[in-house]
Amino acid sequence: MEENSYEIRVAVPSDAAGIIKCMQNVMSEKIYLVSEIYLYTERGQKDILRNPDDLTLVTVFNGEIVGTMNIQRGFYKKNRHTANLGIAIVSEHRGKGIGKRMIENGIKWCRENGIIKLNLEVFSSNENAISLYKKLGFTLEGQRKGQFLVENSYVDDILMTIYPMEHKE
Ligand SMILES: CC(C)(COP(=O)(O)OP(=O)(O)OC[C@H]1O[C@@H](n2cnc3c(N)ncnc32)[C@H](O)[C@@H]1OP(=O)(O)O)[C@@H](O)C(=O)NCCC(=O)NCCS
């Protein structure tokens, strides 16, 4: 499987069903994301995709959405300079550089759209994700101890941040 057979592009409203399927697939694993059920309907997902404040990228492989990343800008005047990042790639397609490429595109979009501070949250048990975020320049901002119960163990909520304007490619 060649890395260049993955297409990464900005999501459009007609991707809604594929994004829901991808998110539900990853949520069903129950170990990486807080929610185990993706709550948006196709209509709700389309509304998100039409919001010009946010960025959603998808990775398409053989016509199917196998990864998605969302950057959601702060809703209020007081936090519009910030955004939160979420990402999910279905298991067979992990470790092939897709996550890295989607997040790099996301950081670039933040820089071009005046986002000063990009935040994310990750379980302390998710070592692969933390290692990727560190490689991309995210740093530890905080740690909420025992915030989540994952597979019968308490894990910390790791808060990480990057300042896109200062990020060098
Ligand atoms: C975390 C996630 C987004 C990373 O995306 P990915 O496409 O798998 O990662 P990449 O292939 O771009 O890997 C880049 C780096 O991540 C780390 N990494 C990714 N997969 C890894 C693995 N299986 N083992 C060790 N390190 C790994 C490495 O540091 C790697 O760098 P390298 O290629 O120089 O070794 C993806 O694995 C995923 O969606 N996981 C499940 C859902 C999830 O955890 N979402 C994030 C919740 S905060």
Side-chain angles (χ1 to χ4, degrees):
M1 209 180 287
E2 292 293 313
E3 188 184 298
N4 62 12
S5 58
Y6 290 102
E7 184 201 2
I8 295 177
R9 60 166 172 79
V10 174
V12 291
S14 58
D15 291 322
I19 291 172
I20 291 170
K21 193 172 164 206
C22 172
M23 289 301 297
Q24 190 53 62
N25 183 320
V26 177
M27 284 180 176
S28 303
E29 293 179 79
K30 302 184 179 179
I31 51 173
Y32 300 116
L33 303 174
V34 180
S35 179
E36 296 180 4
I37 297 169
Y38 195 60
L39 292 174
Y40 287 108
T41 60
E42 209 171 314
R43 195 170 155 179
Q45 183 67 52
K46 282 185 174 158
D47 287 342
I48 295 175
L49 296 173
R50 287 194 189 100
N51 184 348
D53 265 1
D54 300 346
L55 172 72
T56 302
L57 296 181
V58 287
T59 297
V60 181
F61 182 78
N62 284 345
E64 200 172 335
I65 292 175
V66 298
T68 182
M69 184 205 71
N70 176 255
I71 293 182
Q72 200 164 26
R73 187 172 198 135
F75 184 69
Y76 301 98
K77 204 169 125 189
K78 291 187 177 69
N79 68 357
R80 278 189 60 77
H81 61 291
T82 74
N84 287 313
L85 181 147
I87 183 163
I89 296 165
V90 300
S91 60
E92 309 89 281
H93 300 279
R94 290 177 196 151
K96 297 177 193 300
I98 302 171
K100 184 164 179 267
R101 282 165 63 198
M102 284 205 288
I103 297 172
E104 280 169 347
N105 287 348
I107 295 169
K108 184 165 176 273
W109 179 88
C110 287
R111 205 160 44 233
E112 291 164 357
N113 286 273
I115 304 281
I116 291 171
K117 188 175 184 213
L118 176 63
N119 303 311
L120 62 81
E121 291 179 47
V122 57
F123 298 157
S124 51
S125 48
N126 196 347
E127 289 171 12
N128 291 344
I130 293 171
S131 127
L132 170 59
Y133 301 147
K134 282 186 181 159
K135 242 175 229 179
L136 286 166
F138 283 83
T139 55
L140 179 73
E141 186 172 61
Q143 187 156 354
R144 305 180 82 192
K145 298 276 181 195
Q147 180 67 15
F148 298 110
L149 185 61
V150 179
E151 290 186 306
N152 294 320
S153 298
Y154 290 103
V155 301
D156 302 346
D157 185 14
I158 306 286
L159 314 180
M160 300 187 82
T161 293
I162 194 168
Y163 293 85
M165 306 291 186
E166 295 164 19
H167 182 68
K168 306 265 183 305
E169 253 144 37

